[in-house]
């Protein structure tokens, strides 16, 4: 399994015996979409091209090399959720999205630092969130995937907030009960 995984991973980066099959069929065309999305963000940095406007702007934003590769290639999404958000809403919206992703990542680190035993619920949510993040780099921003991404991000941020609130409440009550004992 490990050897097969390495061969597939090499193919993703256009190396090895599967490069022709894996890279040419999917990733090369996705790289065209990604490049066009970056060009849209550069050309329209503040407001983007409008939500779901990628398809309308794709032919204008692609390079001549992409047009020469296959004139008929079109797309209605960047096939990368962060780039799709950035091209549609501009750099400010992309920064807000990345801030939420960063906040979820910070929440994971905080939870890991504060827990002393294995927490199956947290581990499951964190693993699903990481899987979503990996999938979001090559997928379209469709409703089913988006619901998982936003829900898991909110669960992680909320879980960390709840953990910190419980710790703060416990610490306060311990201090106040110690004060009551001293005063008696």
């Amino acid at each position: 399994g490990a050897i097969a995984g390495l061969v597939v991973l090499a193919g993703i980066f256009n190396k090895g015996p599967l490069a022709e099959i894996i890279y040419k069929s999917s990733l090369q065309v996705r790289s065209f979409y990604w490049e066009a999305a970056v060009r849209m963000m550069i050309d329209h940095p503040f407001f983007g091209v409008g939500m779901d406007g990628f398809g309308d702007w794709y032919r204008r934003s692609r390079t001549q090399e992409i047009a020469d590769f296959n004139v008929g290639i079109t797309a209605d999404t960047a096939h990368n959720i962060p780039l799709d958000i950035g091209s549609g809403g501009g750099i400010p919206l992309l920064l807000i999205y990345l801030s939420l992703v960063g906040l979820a990542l910070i929440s994971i680190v905080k939870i890991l630092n504060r827990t002393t035993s294995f927490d199956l619920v947290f581990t499951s949510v964190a693993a699903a969130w990481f899987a979503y993040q990996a999938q979001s780099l090559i997928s379209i921003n469709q409703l089913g995937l988006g619901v998982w991404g936003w829900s898991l991000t909110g669960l992680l941020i909320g879980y960390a907030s709840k953990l910190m609130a419980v710790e703060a409440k416990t610490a306060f009550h311990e201090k106040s009960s110690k004060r009551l004992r001293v005063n008696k």
Side-chain angles (χ1 to χ4, degrees), residues 27 32 46 56 59 78-80 83 104 110 112 136 144 151 154-155 157 163 180 182:
L27 289 179
F32 296 159
F46 297 110
D56 298 331
R59 288 182 185 241
H79 289 75
N80 178 304
L83 289 178
K110 284 182 180 180
L112 288 173
S136 75
S151 298
L155 281 171
I157 294 168
L163 181 66
L180 287 174
V182 171

Side-chain angles (χ1 to χ4, degrees), residues 1-9 18:
I3 292 171
L6 289 174
V7 171
V8 169
L9 186 63
L18 297 179

Side-chain angles (χ1 to χ4, degrees), residues 4-161:
L6 289 174
V7 171
V8 169
L9 186 63
I12 288 172
F13 291 107
N14 201 21
K15 305 283 186 217
L18 297 179
E20 181 94 12
I21 298 167
I22 294 174
Y23 183 76
K24 292 286 183 192
S25 63
S26 178
L27 289 179
Q28 185 175 21
V29 175
R30 276 188 166 88
S31 71
F32 296 159
Y33 303 152
W34 300 340
E35 186 177 339
V38 170
R39 289 175 60 108
M40 288 177 206
M41 283 190 288
I42 291 170
D43 293 343
H44 308 278
F46 297 110
F47 301 110
V49 295
M51 301 311 286
D52 292 330
F54 185 91
D56 298 331
W57 284 85
Y58 175 70
R59 288 182 185 241
R60 291 179 234 177
S61 298
R62 66 183 179 179
T63 64
Q64 186 62 44
E65 174 192 354
I66 296 169
D68 291 341
F69 177 80
N70 184 341
V71 177
I73 292 179
T74 61
D76 58 356
T77 179
H79 289 75
N80 178 304
I81 292 174
L83 289 178
D84 199 34
I85 289 171
S87 65
I91 294 172
L93 189 61
L94 176 63
L95 292 175
I96 292 169
Y97 174 76
L98 293 176
S99 297
L100 287 171
V101 170
L103 185 58
L105 194 56
I106 290 168
S107 297
I108 290 171
V109 171
K110 284 182 180 180
I111 294 168
L112 288 173
N113 287 336
R114 293 176 191 265
T115 55
T116 57
S117 61
F118 180 74
D119 185 348
L120 181 62
V121 173
F122 163 71
T123 304
S124 301
V125 172
W129 183 81
F130 279 111
Y132 166 79
Q133 292 304 320
Q135 185 66 34
S136 75
L137 297 177
I138 59 167
S139 294
I140 64 172
N141 195 11
Q142 57 98 1
L143 182 60
L145 191 60
V147 166
W148 282 107
W150 292 110
S151 298
L152 292 169
T153 300
L155 281 171
L156 287 170
I157 294 168
Y159 197 86
S161 297

Side-chain angles (χ1 to χ4, degrees), residues 168-184:
K169 186 176 182 182
T170 303
F172 174 76
H173 287 297
E174 287 173 1
K175 288 178 186 175
S176 61
S177 65
K178 287 179 186 175
R179 276 187 249 137
L180 287 174
R181 286 185 209 135
V182 171
N183 292 335
K184 288 183 179 180

